[in-house]
Amino acid sequence: MIVLWTDALIYLLVVTSVVFAWYLGRQQHMRRPLKKIAASPVAMASLTLLLCFALIGLADSIHFKDGDSRGNEAVSLLDVACDTMRKHGEKTYSAPFAVHGYAKETLALDDGSTRWDYPRLQYGGAHLADPETEWAGDVFDKTLSGFSRGAGLMLMVLLLAWGDQHERRRVLWRSASSKAVWAALFLVVSGCYTLFSLSAYYHVLGTDKVGEDVFYQTLKSIRTGLVIGSLTTLVMLPLAIVFGIMAGFFKGWVDDVIQFIYTTLNSIPSVLLIAASILMVQVYMTNHPENFNNLLVRADMRLLFLCLILGVTSWTGLCRLLRAETLKLREMEYVLAAQALGVKPAMILFRHILPNVMHIVLISVVLDFSSLVLAEAVLSYINIGVDPTTHSWGNMINSARLEMAREPVVWWSLTAAFVFMFALVLAANLFADSVRDAFDPRRAQAS
């Protein structure tokens, strides 16, 4: 097994998330907003879709050496699941579900003559003897077969859950939010079965300039988006929480210093800071090639530093919110009573201030996630994001920029990146709205 830096941080993030969820469940004042989120069909359907994305990203974060390949290259569990798509590449562009290439070329015939025509793909639709007559029926049959298997699996699970004899669980299964979860799972599982069933015979989203399957690229890009959105948060939160609470509680020169730091940081254009930092990382890796003897390690290190840079430049907004909230909390009666009784400041911060600002932290984390995913796409588009060898939606959009200018237009790379990124960001935003409605005290009082 191979553990990259980002892999280790993802494992740490999973453990931290589980511990944090357990902590929230034990807090009495957190149970009401959590129950409100659980009762929202939109929130639970969005959370289900986010967890499906997270599962794909986690599968792509478990790396090991592939003994079957030359040079024992590192692969992930997702690569194993997508082995057919990964290995069945074409020469160049091909449209979704195509059996012929996207551009004409000179073909050598059996009699020695040549013909200017569209070549047959090496793998896409290679099982068809006569594509002109067999293609439509074959695509329909395989789509129906894949969808039937996925739908059948979900219907079996649904019937088992629906027939649960325990009264409390039966009521839970049949609630509106549970129905939304089942509907989302049904669509995701049926869709995945259908797409993977078709991918064994066709390139369902076409291929790119070097003949790599676009559907495989899109699935691999999920991990990059999740890493940017989650690991950046892991870097940002300690800085924002510590500095924000300290500035609001101690005031005086501590507040002045912290305000000077984040005001100065905000005055520097973030794009220039990110570009300069990425350039420094590239120079360091070029001057120390012995430490980065693998393309995967180099790309992972650049992704890690991009998360660090984004975290360092994005903590100031949350820090300001926490400072303002702490300024209000330090004047509350229970905090003044603790100070009068001689409780140490560190204990007051940990026991009285931190738990009462967690709703702000939770809201900010969920809201910032989607903006960070979009930031990766923008940064990669202007070539200061992740490494060009890393699969990401930003790199797909960047390469599609040139493809859209050719004739005929190669539209599927841009469309695939847009659809998957749109689904992830939409689910994150819908869930963020539900979290904000549940945890925001002003909204709770209004309702």
Side-chain angles (χ1 to χ4, degrees):
M1 187 173 178
I2 301 173
V3 180
L4 304 174
W5 278 102
T6 53
D7 292 342
L9 290 175
I10 287 174
Y11 304 153
L12 175 62
L13 184 64
V14 170
V15 174
T16 304
S17 300
V18 172
V19 172
F20 185 64
W22 173 80
Y23 167 78
L24 289 180
R26 289 177 58 88
Q27 302 302 309
Q28 189 67 31
H29 67 286
M30 290 288 187
R31 291 179 183 176
R32 184 200 62 79
L34 290 177
K35 288 181 179 178
K36 186 175 180 180
I37 294 173
S40 171
V42 174
M44 296 309 295
S46 302
L47 180 60
T48 302
L49 185 57
L50 288 174
L51 290 176
C52 292
F53 275 109
L55 188 62
I56 295 174
L58 191 59
D60 200 21
S61 299
I62 302 175
H63 290 93
F64 50 89
K65 287 187 177 181
D66 184 10
D68 296 334
S69 64
R70 292 176 295 179
N72 289 333
E73 65 172 331
V75 296
S76 66
L77 283 181
L78 182 63
D79 292 326
V80 175
C82 303
D83 193 60
T84 302
M85 290 182 276
R86 182 168 65 98
K87 294 181 178 179
H88 288 183
E90 305 293 346
K91 286 169 53 179
T92 183
Y93 297 114
S94 65
F97 293 101
V99 295
H100 293 90
Y102 200 59
K104 290 184 177 182
E105 60 182 61
T106 303
L107 304 178
L109 303 180
D110 294 336
D111 58 1
S113 61
T114 59
R115 187 181 67 197
W116 182 252
D117 203 353
Y118 297 100
R120 277 293 299 269
L121 297 179
Q122 185 177 0
Y123 297 105
H127 62 289
L128 300 177
D130 185 10
E132 299 295 332
T133 58
E134 299 176 3
W135 176 82
D138 186 69
V139 171
F140 178 79
D141 291 341
K142 287 180 169 50
T143 301
L144 185 61
S145 173
F147 183 81
S148 300
R149 281 183 288 173
L153 175 63
M154 284 305 303
L155 287 176
M156 279 178 39
V157 175
L158 185 59
L159 288 174
L160 290 174
W162 201 263
D164 196 335
Q165 298 301 315
H166 194 279
E167 182 65 27
R168 189 173 181 180
R169 287 199 297 265
R170 186 167 56 188
V171 173
L172 178 63
W173 292 131
R174 299 183 181 184
S175 64
S177 57
S178 294
K179 291 178 181 178
V181 170
W182 286 118
L185 281 176
F186 180 83
L187 293 175
V188 170
V189 173
S190 302
C192 286
Y193 261 93
T194 304
L195 291 174
F196 274 87
S197 176
L198 288 167
S199 295
Y201 302 94
Y202 299 96
H203 301 288
V204 294
L205 295 179
T207 57
D208 65 353
K209 187 175 182 178
V210 296
E212 189 175 27
D213 192 277
V214 173
F215 183 44
Y216 171 70
Q217 289 181 352
T218 310
L219 291 176
K220 292 284 288 183
S221 301
I222 291 175
R223 177 184 182 271
T224 304
L226 293 177
V227 166
I228 293 290
S230 56
L231 294 190
T232 302
T233 303
L234 196 65
V235 175
M236 174 190 70
L237 278 185
L239 296 172
I241 293 175
V242 172
F243 287 156
I245 291 178
M246 287 179 61
F249 184 78
F250 293 108
K251 297 200 295 187
W253 67 269
V254 176
D255 188 20
D256 293 338
V257 170
I258 293 175
Q259 284 195 73
F260 176 78
I261 292 174
Y262 67 61
T263 303
T264 304
L265 193 58
N266 277 340
S267 65
I268 304 174
S270 57
V271 174
L272 295 180
L273 185 60
I274 293 170
S277 302
I278 290 295
L279 181 60
M280 291 171 59
V281 172
Q282 288 180 325
V283 170
Y284 178 81
M285 289 191 293
T286 303
N287 293 334
H288 300 82
E290 66 279 0
N291 298 329
F292 309 98
N293 54 2
N294 189 310
L295 286 176
L296 182 63
V297 175
R298 290 175 63 91
D300 183 73
M301 187 57 62
R302 178 164 170 170
L303 177 60
L304 176 61
F305 270 89
L306 182 61
C307 293
L308 294 175
I309 297 160
L310 287 173
V312 169
T313 57
S314 59
W315 62 270
T316 56
L318 179 57
C319 180
R320 282 175 169 156
L321 293 175
L322 295 180
R323 174 184 174 274
E325 186 69 13
T326 306
L327 285 172
K328 181 181 71 174
L329 292 174
R330 75 184 303 275
E331 304 299 333
M332 301 296 288
E333 290 82 358
Y334 56 88
V335 176
L336 296 175
Q339 290 176 325
L341 291 172
V343 180
K344 294 182 179 179
M347 186 59 67
I348 294 175
L349 291 175
F350 185 74
R351 294 296 300 273
H352 298 297
I353 303 296
L354 183 60
N356 287 289
V357 299
M358 287 309 296
H359 67 282
I360 296 178
V361 174
L362 195 57
I363 292 171
S364 299
V365 166
V366 180
L367 286 173
D368 289 344
F369 175 82
S370 56
S371 63
L372 290 170
V373 173
L374 294 174
E376 181 276 323
V378 174
L379 293 174
S380 297
Y381 179 75
I382 58 178
N383 292 320
I384 59 171
V386 298
D387 192 82
T389 60
T390 302
H391 290 101
S392 78
W393 293 318
N395 283 338
M396 290 178 66
I397 294 172
N398 186 29
S399 61
R401 174 184 56 178
L402 301 177
E403 296 169 356
M404 296 295 289
R406 57 167 283 156
E407 181 63 34
V409 175
V410 180
W411 51 268
W412 45 88
S413 293
L414 180 64
T415 304
F418 170 77
V419 169
F420 275 74
M421 188 164 58
F422 175 77
L424 178 60
V425 172
L426 179 63
N429 284 341
L430 290 176
F431 184 67
D433 288 341
S434 300
V435 170
R436 182 181 57 193
D437 293 341
F439 281 92
D440 194 339
R442 292 168 296 182
R443 293 175 180 264
Q445 291 174 1
S447 61

